[in-house]
Amino acid sequence: MRDYVIECHNLETAYAASLNRPILNGINCQIERGEFVVLLGLNGAGKSTLLRSLVGLVPLVRGEIQINSVTLTPRTLAAIRRDVGMLFQGGGLIRQLSAMENVLCGRLGAKTSWQTLFGFPKRDRLLALELLEQLGLREFADQKTSQLSGGQQQRVAIARALIQSPQILLADEPITGLDVIACQQVMQTLSELHTQHGMTIVAVLHDLGIAAEYAQRAIVVDAGRIVYDGPCDNLQAQFSQV
Ligand SMILES: Nc1ncnc2c1ncn2[C@@H]1O[C@H](COP(=O)(O)OP(=O)(O)OP(=O)(O)O)[C@@H](O)[C@H]1O
Ligand SMILES: [Mg+2]
């Protein structure tokens, strides 16, 4: 039997401001443990909406999401979020906080509100430092993220997503706006998490060449529907602009 970690059944979602305008129109997909999948599509196709839906950030109008065979509901949401790390489009860092503090924010979901009153234990701080070290950012730990370059900020965002040791990483445009070197570093980091730690990765990319280099499978979204789900080979021939 296949070990699916993400399952979407007839997913239909709409934003609260416009509930009569569904953004995702009947998404069906299953992602197995340990897969590296790229999500492709034009601007506004619904890629970010799909990733956000998987962690309960967009209301479901119809359909069902299962993460590790658990149906996403208000009751299961907190536990599911502990298994799923999210790298938001644009990083989503708090600019006034240091790199270290931003990474520690990734632990907030694992704590009760009263626990957060006591600050973060030494164990969490050491883990945050270790992650920053691994991502080549140890020397920037105490620097405000507003003073870091785009590539450095992106790596802080990765560290923040990783501090909860997620089984699944959803990365929304992790390399957009980065130079060639930073782009390679970030993709290499994702690739190592996949190959060495068996992490399931779903990454939104816009570059078909990079998609084919790192991922085995591509899902192409257009106007809230999946229009392709298959191997990355020949993507270039099929979709010249995604
Ligand atoms: N918070 C929101 N409230 C209402 N509508 C939204 C919201 N966020 C996105 N949308 C709409 O949902 C649609 C899909 O947006 P989404 O951000 O998922 O696209 P995307 O595929 O990630 O595009 P991009 O490549 O530009 O990041 C768009 O029409 C957008 O206007
Ligand atoms: Mg997006």
Side-chain angles (χ1 to χ4, degrees):
M1 211 172 106
R2 296 197 156 177
D3 185 10
Y4 293 124
V5 287
I6 299 173
E7 294 173 82
C8 298
H9 303 287
N10 294 319
L11 200 61
E12 204 176 300
T13 62
Y15 286 98
S18 46
L19 279 174
N20 56 351
R21 186 171 80 94
I23 304 295
L24 301 180
N25 297 292
I27 295 275
N28 284 294
C29 68
Q30 285 144 336
I31 294 174
E32 279 185 71
R33 190 176 302 282
E35 274 195 284
F36 192 141
V37 179
V38 285
L39 201 52
L40 303 160
L42 297 175
N43 291 144
K47 305 176 299 295
S48 298
T49 303
L50 178 53
L51 291 195
R52 284 189 219 123
S53 303
L54 296 177
V55 285
L57 292 174
V58 187
L60 289 195
V61 177
R62 220 162 273 133
E64 190 183 22
I65 293 171
Q66 290 190 322
I67 304 290
N68 282 325
S69 304
V70 174
T71 301
L72 182 74
T73 64
R75 200 176 53 78
T76 59
L77 184 59
I80 282 178
R81 282 188 183 160
R82 283 198 284 276
D83 287 341
V84 186
M86 178 91 181
L87 194 56
F88 289 95
Q89 187 168 358
L93 298 176
I94 304 170
R95 293 173 61 77
Q96 297 81 358
L97 297 184
S98 69
M100 173 81 167
E101 289 163 331
N102 267 285
V103 176
L104 285 168
C105 284
R107 287 290 293 156
L108 286 174
K111 298 192 178 301
T112 59
S113 39
W114 69 265
Q115 276 174 326
T116 60
L117 293 175
F118 298 100
F120 292 95
K122 196 171 172 199
R123 193 182 57 237
D124 286 351
R125 293 180 169 277
L126 288 175
L127 184 56
L129 268 185
E130 201 179 301
L131 284 166
L132 287 170
E133 170 101 48
Q134 280 170 22
L135 290 159
L137 293 170
R138 174 67 185 80
E139 62 189 295
F140 300 106
D142 297 321
Q143 198 145 325
K144 279 188 186 173
T145 49
S146 57
Q147 295 164 355
L148 299 180
S149 77
Q152 290 163 342
Q153 289 184 28
Q154 200 61 286
R155 279 179 282 147
V156 173
I158 294 179
R160 184 181 56 182
L162 294 183
I163 197 167
Q164 56 175 352
S165 305
Q167 298 173 25
I168 303 164
L169 181 64
L170 308 178
D172 196 353
E173 302 212 15
I175 53 169
T176 299
L178 303 189
D179 69 38
V180 185
I181 307 283
C183 180
Q184 271 176 358
Q185 284 171 339
V186 168
M187 287 311 296
Q188 200 52 43
T189 303
L190 297 185
S191 178
E192 280 167 20
L193 290 167
H194 171 242
T195 52
Q196 294 173 17
H197 302 278
M199 199 177 279
T200 308
I201 297 186
V202 184
V204 176
L205 299 178
H206 282 287
D207 186 310
L208 297 183
I210 295 178
E213 193 177 332
Y214 289 92
Q216 298 95 46
R217 174 179 167 196
I219 294 177
V220 181
V221 179
D222 184 35
R225 295 177 197 276
I226 292 180
V227 293
Y228 176 86
D229 184 351
C232 284
D233 326 332
N234 296 325
L235 269 178
Q236 206 98 34
Q238 292 193 51
F239 303 94
S240 54
Q241 280 190 316
V242 294

